[in-house]
Amino acid sequence: HIHAHPPPKKRMILLLSLFLSILILLYLFYPAIKVIGKSIDVGVDDLILTKNNNTKQQQPILSIIIPAYNEEERLPPMLLETYTYLTKNRKDITNLCHAATLSCCTSEKQTQNTSSFELIVVDDGSIDDTRIKTIDFVNQHVNVSNKDAGGAGDSFRLITLHQNSGKGAAVRAGMIRAKGALCLMADADGATDITDGLPAVLKEMANVVTTTTTTTTKQNH
């Protein structure tokens, strides 16, 4: 039998072509491989900042996840505005949250027992004082007079990613650890005015829930 073999020169060209193809593929997919590696290997710290004496540990009605990267300047004012608005409008925001999660059908006692809020700052590997500023804010504005937070069971948490992983990864880290019945995201720079933005979002969600429920009920009949 006669076996045909490519000439040495042609074989060398084929091997070089294959090697170059592999290098090109690695170059093209390196960013994706790097992101996947980060999502697997990145370390995470989860710290509860509020000195809350409430022993009932009720589920918060609302969790707000705030991804932050190098936001030492803009984050504290945003936290102050957000927390002040939530506590001053607790009843209205709670009712909107219940409507948006179909919890409006629960008893009045249950509604009153689920009116706490959870604010989660996710520090996405910041190299400035974002983490320290967050802790200072809670100590100065929440823990120093914790009567309202303690009575309602409000919670401030700081999740720290050991390395910068991007906004999407930061939001995901907060969402999967949030305890609220309803979870929303807000930007650390205060780009959206919470006094207008939050009620508008909750009302829209409630409308969707109401419409879906009405449609389902009609179809069942």
Side-chain angles (χ1 to χ4, degrees):
H1 298 282
I2 299 175
H3 298 280
H5 295 283
K9 187 176 181 180
K10 189 175 182 180
R11 195 171 7 181
M12 181 65 68
I13 293 174
L14 289 173
L15 289 174
L16 284 174
S17 299
L18 179 61
F19 179 70
L20 288 174
S21 298
I22 293 173
L23 286 180
I24 291 171
L25 287 173
L26 287 174
Y27 175 78
L28 291 175
F29 288 99
Y30 175 73
I33 296 171
K34 187 176 180 181
V35 169
I36 293 172
K38 278 188 175 183
S39 65
I40 295 173
D41 297 331
V42 64
V44 179
D45 293 330
D46 190 349
L47 180 64
I48 298 176
L49 302 179
T50 36
K51 297 176 181 178
N52 201 315
N53 295 322
N54 182 21
T55 58
K56 295 182 180 180
Q57 297 297 317
Q58 299 160 354
Q59 181 189 27
I61 186 63
L62 174 66
S63 292
I64 298 181
I65 289 82
I66 307 166
Y69 178 67
N70 293 343
E71 291 288 358
E72 63 179 10
E73 296 294 334
R74 296 186 292 187
L75 181 60
M78 181 271 180
L79 291 177
L80 181 59
E81 180 184 16
T82 300
Y83 187 61
T84 300
Y85 175 75
L86 290 175
T87 54
K88 287 186 176 180
N89 298 275
R90 187 180 300 277
K91 184 176 180 180
D92 291 340
I93 296 301
T94 298
N95 289 337
L96 286 172
C97 288
H98 281 305
T101 57
L102 274 181
S103 299
C104 52
C105 301
T106 59
S107 68
E108 182 180 354
K109 183 177 180 181
Q110 287 174 312
T111 300
Q112 291 176 347
N113 284 340
T114 54
S115 60
S116 61
F117 304 120
E118 178 183 55
L119 274 73
I120 302 177
V121 174
V122 184
D123 178 11
D124 185 21
S126 297
I127 57 176
D128 67 353
D129 288 336
T130 293
R131 186 174 184 275
I132 295 174
K133 292 288 185 178
T134 302
I135 296 173
D136 288 345
F137 170 82
V138 176
N139 288 335
Q140 293 172 11
H141 297 280
V142 183
N143 288 336
V144 69
S145 57
N146 201 34
K147 181 179 179 181
D148 186 67
D154 295 332
S155 175
F156 265 86
R157 292 168 62 190
L158 174 61
I159 295 174
T160 304
L161 306 186
H162 292 182
Q163 61 186 25
N164 179 246
S165 303
K167 185 176 181 179
V171 172
R172 181 179 181 276
M175 287 288 180
I176 63 177
R177 292 169 175 81
K179 298 179 180 179
L182 186 64
C183 301
L184 299 175
M185 187 274 289
D187 289 320
D189 60 2
T192 302
D193 182 4
I194 190 170
T195 60
D196 293 326
L198 182 58
V201 169
L202 294 176
K203 287 176 183 177
E204 187 63 31
M205 292 177 68
N207 289 337
V208 172
V209 170
T210 302
T211 303
T212 304
T213 304
T214 303
T215 302
T216 303
T217 303
K218 288 181 179 179
Q219 289 176 346
N220 292 336
H221 289 288

